[in-house]
Amino acid sequence: MPPEDEVDRIVAAWGRERPDLDFAPLDVLSRVDRLARHLDRARRQAFEAGGMEPWEFDVLSALRRAGEPYELSPKVLLQQTLVTSGTMTNRVDRLAARGLVARRTDPRDGRGVLVSLTPTGRSAVDAAIADLLQAERAILAGVSDDERGQLAALLRRLILGLGD
């Protein structure tokens, strides 16, 4: 039998106090919540190593994933990062001030704007993703490749069931 974790102890305590309830959801989702906290901490540490905030990584990585010429409209950036228009404007302003992105007029629509990744921004996001992957590999070190695949499939099914 594997060793108990804190969730086992919490579920057992609730089971003693409320034997009329089924704590199976807590058994799974409390672990997902705890894992999310570990992941958030690891991500923050990985980004801090490169002097980057998580929100900066979100914007820069959206641009990097777009491929050459590494530019997107603010509308597409909004859709990919799930923030408001005002928040995105502020973020692009701050990234531009740091020389990580640049704005230019959209040649297909003179009224539109494109946000592009600068060479400095590309170097920063490339370093950040390498640091992030190293941190995430460490989190997953206790499971095999096959188990990772199974876990990914199960989590995908859960997320798709929520409409994401």
Side-chain angles (χ1 to χ4, degrees):
M1 176 116 182
E4 282 191 346
D5 65 4
E6 187 62 20
V7 174
D8 289 321
R9 290 184 281 279
I10 290 168
V11 169
W14 272 117
R16 283 190 310 274
E17 297 301 313
R18 290 293 312 267
D20 57 312
L21 296 176
D22 174 12
F23 289 97
L26 197 64
D27 205 24
V28 173
L29 298 177
S30 289
R31 286 186 175 89
V32 170
D33 181 56
R34 286 171 180 266
L35 178 60
R37 289 187 224 168
H38 284 282
L39 179 58
D40 184 56
R41 189 177 317 117
R43 284 182 168 183
R44 288 186 180 281
Q45 289 171 350
F47 298 148
E48 284 173 7
M52 188 178 296
E53 295 286 331
W55 67 264
E56 291 173 311
F57 178 79
D58 288 346
V59 175
L60 296 176
S61 66
L63 292 166
R64 181 66 166 99
R65 290 189 316 264
E68 292 274 0
Y70 309 114
E71 63 185 14
L72 295 169
S73 70
K75 180 180 179 180
V76 173
L77 281 171
L78 288 172
Q79 292 167 340
Q80 291 194 14
T81 59
L82 303 173
V83 298
T84 65
S85 177
T87 298
M88 183 54 65
T89 298
N90 180 276
R91 289 179 176 186
V92 170
D93 288 346
R94 291 172 67 185
L95 290 167
R98 290 188 54 200
L100 301 173
V101 301
R103 288 186 179 95
R104 72 180 185 96
T105 302
D106 186 339
R108 297 174 304 252
D109 174 5
R111 299 169 298 164
V113 172
L114 293 173
V115 178
S116 59
L117 195 59
T118 65
T120 303
R122 182 176 171 184
S123 294
V125 75
D126 283 353
I129 191 64
D131 289 344
L132 175 60
L133 290 172
Q134 182 178 357
E136 290 184 353
R137 267 190 208 89
I139 287 173
L140 292 169
V143 296
S144 71
D145 289 345
D146 286 344
E147 290 168 327
R148 270 187 291 227
Q150 292 168 2
L151 182 57
L154 291 169
L155 292 171
R156 181 183 305 109
R157 187 173 356 151
L158 276 175
I159 289 170
L160 289 172
L162 296 171
D164 190 12

